[in-house]
Amino acid sequence: MTTAGLPPVLPDVTAEIVEALTPRLAKRLDAAVAKLAARPHTVDPASGVHRIAVDEESNVELRPTDGIVTTPDAIHCDCLLSPACVHRAAAATLAPVAVDAVQDMSAEPEPEQESEPRPESGPGAEQNSTEATTGPPAHPEPSPSEQPSTPAHDTTEHTVAAHALWTAAARLLDAGVDGAGAVAQAGLLRAAHIAKVAGLHRPAAAAIRVVNGVRAARGADPAHRTAELADALTELLGIAHALGTSGTDPAATAALRGTARRSYAQAGSLRLYGLFTEPVLTATGHAGCVTWTADADGTLYQVPDIAPGGANRARGVADRAVRLGDTALTHRELSAAGLVVSGATVAEDGRLGAGKAVQAVRAKGADWTEPPLDALWSVPLADQAARARRSPDGLLFLDATLGGVLRERDGESLVAHCQGVTVRLAVAHDDPGLAHRENLTLLASAPGTRVRLIARLVPSTPARVMPLAVRLPSGARHDLGLDRLTRADLPVPTASGGEASPGPLPGTPPPPVHPLRRRVEQSLVAGRRALTLARPDEAPALRRAGLPTAAVLLEALLRAAADRGRDPFGRLAPADLDAFARTWLACARYTQEVTEALGTEAWKA
């Protein structure tokens, strides 16, 4: 649970304030957070101080520096118990988690200078996340050749930090989302801070994504997805385990450590064609948009404008000029126009730098049906899906015929038929300030319509994507997160098609690995103890489906959840949280691999 508009708070600040509470106040913290979330919140425009009214006589203030709360003293309460009151801890818990010293994420410096921290997202992003986010995944897999941007650290320091991350994550997994209150979250934030100080930037960011996911789940955020939180926790536990067992070989831990800053390389001159603009709204309090472009070879480039803010900024920044050279193009205009860039600098993920030496002028754009952009839609779907799984952008270019609405376990989704593949279209972001859901609902009312889509791959089976932009039969292009479609934009229904969408189609059976994945997610939501009530017939069902490894893993997970030894006096000993976390990690990794393999097959016509 977070309150929109509050300034981000550094992880160690939240952890320090929460850890300073007495046991009695710590038990009251979650109730205090819920109470404070409902109280009036104001901002002093002159000083930038955020003020939440605790009651008629007391206020808690957050005093950010450059938009971020960097010290415990910057959170002040004027109640009689301050600074040992619960209100300061509640305010810190309500505020978004700051990933780093917040800078304008569109203002990348020159390549030789330090650039901005990677924003939290996912499709997300992200996702999303990671993460209840939109935008491309913010933390792509670093290559083993990447070197950390900080000096080398002692391996012992890495081991200590990895152990802190593992322990905090295992405790959170034991309690589950339902039991992971502010104190458990603060423990993971403390571990994230320890990891960052030790130079473990990738696992520190993963820990923050987990905290954001837990907060979104506990706050009933409509954009929360349990599967995405499970993937974030899987990444965190996997990295922490690998770092704790990788020995002293620096090369073995280079990819696991990650990098703190994005680096930019010289790219010379670029001729770019606008594709679409995607609104970005992250769980870390950042918002804005990313305009996607492509060159004549089909290489994708991003022009971002992301900074602290909410849904209003995500919608409004699309009408601001792009920060690239002296061009006066807005993001909306660039999405349909072209751009010539000289002295370009490009990050590994395709993000364009905006240093002083970069120059850009407007040029003619191209329709999606014209060269060179039309070549993006000519790549076979299986090849596109394989590229999207490896790429941080995850984009697919689809020629689709809209079908009916399909009833599934998690609700209803729109079906589209693409080159012999039946694809589910899912909502990219559920925030009501963005137009994704209502646009998808309107498209569902026009079955039989042929459209061109740009969508982001959802790693799942059957084939599933999140549509981001559409070209209708009229030739009009729309950004589905920003533009609100009307019935007048869609073709007139034919007599055979009828005016209304057909009723929901029969649902499809879940994938064979679903029983294991369900227990993985169930334990994450309700905690380890929830697995003690699992049905005993699921493992035999997995064996009958030809998945003996899944059956063995499920049996091991249930045993680890129920395993409680006894001390010499016959009393129940504490549960082995390390063993349960290791088994849970093995199950989660297995389901990811099986899902990816099945997803690969799903994109073959």
Side-chain angles (χ1 to χ4, degrees):
M1 179 186 299
T2 58
T3 295
L6 288 178
V9 179
L10 287 177
D12 58 308
V13 172
T14 302
E16 182 174 338
I17 295 176
V18 172
E19 290 166 354
L21 293 176
T22 64
R24 181 179 65 86
L25 290 179
K27 293 179 180 179
R28 296 170 49 190
L29 178 55
D30 290 331
V33 170
K35 180 179 178 180
L36 202 64
R39 301 297 299 167
H41 165 220
T42 59
V43 184
D44 186 337
S47 63
V49 172
H50 293 248
R51 186 173 293 108
I52 305 176
V54 176
D55 50 39
E56 295 181 356
E57 300 178 353
S58 303
N59 297 284
V60 60
E61 295 182 345
L62 291 84
R63 302 166 179 172
T65 301
D66 295 329
I68 190 171
V69 177
T70 57
T71 65
D73 293 340
I75 301 180
H76 173 76
C77 182
D78 55 13
C79 74
L80 296 177
L81 294 178
S82 182
C85 63
V86 74
H87 307 131
R88 295 174 64 240
T93 303
L94 272 177
V97 182
V99 180
D100 204 334
V102 176
Q103 305 173 21
D104 187 325
M105 296 185 185
S106 65
E108 297 89 343
E110 295 295 334
E112 62 270 14
Q113 298 174 326
E114 286 190 333
S115 55
E116 86 291 343
R118 299 174 186 261
E120 292 294 314
S121 87
E126 258 101 356
Q127 117 135 317
N128 293 295
S129 86
T130 217
E131 348 153 320
T133 64
T134 63
H139 296 268
E141 297 286 333
S143 63
S145 60
E146 280 187 307
Q147 296 300 318
S149 61
T150 55
H153 290 261
D154 188 345
T155 303
T156 302
E157 189 177 7
H158 285 164
T159 303
V160 170
H163 177 72
L165 287 169
W166 175 271
T167 301
R171 289 174 178 170
L172 185 146
L173 180 61
D174 176 60
V177 169
D178 294 343
V183 174
Q185 296 167 29
L188 193 51
L189 291 176
R190 170 64 69 191
H193 174 67
I194 294 172
K196 183 176 178 181
V197 170
L200 303 181
H201 304 289
R202 183 183 171 197
I208 292 175
R209 286 201 298 279
V210 171
V211 172
N212 286 330
V214 170
R215 289 182 176 182
R218 292 174 62 86
D221 188 331
H224 166 70
R225 299 290 183 271
T226 300
E228 294 175 2
L229 177 56
D231 290 341
L233 183 59
T234 300
E235 181 186 9
L236 173 59
L237 286 172
I239 297 174
H241 182 269
L243 286 169
T245 58
S246 59
T248 59
D249 182 9
T253 59
L256 299 173
R257 290 195 304 267
T259 56
R261 302 286 179 175
R262 178 184 284 108
S263 61
Y264 289 79
Q266 295 289 342
S269 298
L270 297 174
R271 173 65 166 95
L272 304 177
Y273 300 84
L275 282 167
F276 72 103
T277 297
E278 176 185 8
V280 176
L281 185 60
T282 76
T284 57
H286 295 87
C289 70
V290 174
T291 297
W292 293 86
T293 65
D295 65 11
D297 296 327
T299 303
L300 300 179
Y301 296 90
Q302 310 167 37
V303 182
D305 189 341
I306 304 173
N312 288 336
R313 188 177 197 281
R315 292 192 305 269
V317 78
D319 294 313
R320 298 182 186 179
V322 299
R323 300 185 180 184
L324 199 65
D326 297 325
T327 179
L329 278 172
T330 67
H331 283 271
R332 285 186 188 271
E333 291 171 339
L334 176 57
S335 67
L339 204 63
V340 175
V341 185
S342 61
T345 57
V346 183
E348 185 180 7
D349 62 357
R351 179 170 297 203
L352 291 171
K356 294 180 180 179
V358 178
Q359 299 295 323
V361 295
R362 181 172 185 161
K364 186 178 184 298
D367 189 70
W368 290 359
T369 59
E370 300 172 350
L373 297 184
D374 61 341
L376 295 170
W377 279 264
S378 65
V379 180
L381 285 186
D383 295 342
Q384 286 199 53
R387 186 204 72 85
R389 279 190 292 271
R390 298 190 303 267
S391 172
D393 60 69
L395 295 184
L396 295 171
F397 302 87
L398 309 174
D399 282 311
T401 300
L402 301 180
V405 177
L406 185 69
R407 181 184 294 115
E408 297 185 291
R409 300 188 313 276
D410 301 327
E412 296 179 349
S413 59
L414 174 60
V415 170
H417 304 287
C418 310
Q419 300 178 24
V421 177
T422 300
V423 181
R424 276 74 169 168
L425 306 184
V427 177
H429 202 293
D430 261 317
D431 190 283
L434 303 180
H436 291 291
R437 178 167 291 281
E438 63 183 83
N439 283 338
L440 202 61
T441 300
L442 191 60
L443 290 174
S445 68
T449 302
R450 291 189 56 80
V451 297
R452 274 204 158 173
L453 293 172
I454 300 178
R456 178 162 289 117
L457 176 70
V458 178
S460 67
T461 180
R464 189 181 305 273
V465 300
M466 296 182 295
L468 304 173
V470 63
R471 185 187 187 277
L472 298 173
S474 64
R477 287 155 53 176
H478 297 277
D479 300 324
L480 293 176
L482 297 171
D483 305 331
R484 297 188 184 274
L485 301 177
T486 66
R487 288 194 176 273
D489 295 317
L490 299 176
V492 177
T494 62
S496 59
E499 183 162 342
S501 172
L505 302 173
T508 56
V513 78
H514 173 66
L516 179 59
R517 181 71 181 187
R518 180 174 58 194
R519 295 307 176 192
V520 166
E521 295 182 0
Q522 178 191 27
S523 58
L524 174 58
V525 173
R528 174 184 54 81
R529 294 169 183 81
L531 293 183
T532 60
L533 304 177
R535 292 171 11 205
D537 60 341
E538 291 179 330
L542 288 171
R543 287 191 173 89
R544 289 193 298 271
L547 297 173
T549 303
V552 171
L553 286 171
L554 177 58
E555 291 168 342
L557 183 65
L558 299 181
R559 285 196 305 270
D563 188 16
R564 297 283 301 276
R566 293 185 179 273
D567 63 16
F569 299 98
R571 297 172 298 191
L572 280 174
D576 189 343
L577 302 188
D578 284 346
F580 178 70
R582 285 195 301 270
T583 308
W584 186 92
L585 175 60
C587 294
R589 278 284 178 82
Y590 175 85
T591 57
Q592 284 180 339
E593 294 294 330
V594 172
T595 299
E596 181 174 345
L598 293 174
T600 300
E601 293 299 317
W603 283 97
K604 296 179 180 179

